[in-house]
Amino acid sequence: MFGSRPPADDSLWNIAKREGFQVITYDRNAANKEKQVDISLSTTMLEDSYEYMKASRQDIAVLVGGDGDFVPTVKSLKRRGLGVRVVFWSHAVSRELRESADEFVVLDPHFEALTRAEAPQA
């Protein structure tokens, strides 16, 4: 998971870490703009695709994101014969990104499950 550095008490990132996800965060710039996140995600996707994925196995890269800046990464993966699935909110995904992927999965129907508060720990 990639993103801007959250507050210390942010539950999403803490849950992700606890569930075994690698969480990579970056500080925002002086204007409070997110920096380095998209390019880090793209770089990691491409690096991991060379190390772990094979077109002969019909491997699929999954991108949870909607920014059109990911289009070159998607096209690069597809040129190598890998499938690409983009998962994001229908209203926030770039049309070009949606069209460049092999498959687009809409998160909208899963809103309640994805935004439900964490159950109290026993």
Side-chain angles (χ1 to χ4, degrees):
M1 286 182 64
F2 293 81
S4 294
R5 190 168 316 284
D9 64 346
D10 185 273
S11 62
L12 172 67
W13 297 93
N14 293 331
I15 293 168
K17 286 179 191 174
R18 188 176 67 234
E19 294 298 320
F21 285 89
Q22 180 182 13
V23 175
I24 300 170
T25 58
Y26 296 93
D27 291 326
R28 291 177 176 266
N29 68 11
N32 200 32
K33 300 287 183 193
E34 188 171 81
K35 302 306 288 179
Q36 300 183 22
V37 174
D38 290 353
I39 195 68
S40 293
L41 175 53
S42 290
T43 301
T44 300
M45 284 182 73
L46 290 172
E47 288 173 345
D48 286 356
S49 76
Y50 280 100
E51 187 168 348
Y52 303 111
M53 300 177 77
K54 294 184 180 184
S56 62
R57 290 192 309 233
Q58 299 180 325
D59 287 343
I60 298 172
V62 178
L63 168 66
V64 181
D67 194 315
D69 289 347
F70 292 115
V71 170
T73 301
V74 169
K75 288 181 177 181
S76 177
L77 292 164
K78 289 180 63 173
R79 276 194 303 274
R80 293 192 29 244
L82 299 169
V84 180
R85 177 181 301 138
V86 172
V87 180
F88 211 60
W89 307 105
S90 63
H91 70 281
V93 69
S94 151
R95 180 183 55 78
E96 188 178 6
L97 179 62
R98 181 189 298 221
E99 292 173 357
S100 67
D102 294 305
E103 179 184 4
F104 176 65
V105 177
V106 180
L107 283 176
D108 304 21
H110 309 285
F111 179 80
E112 291 299 321
L114 292 169
T115 59
R116 189 173 37 215
E118 181 181 9
Q121 298 296 313

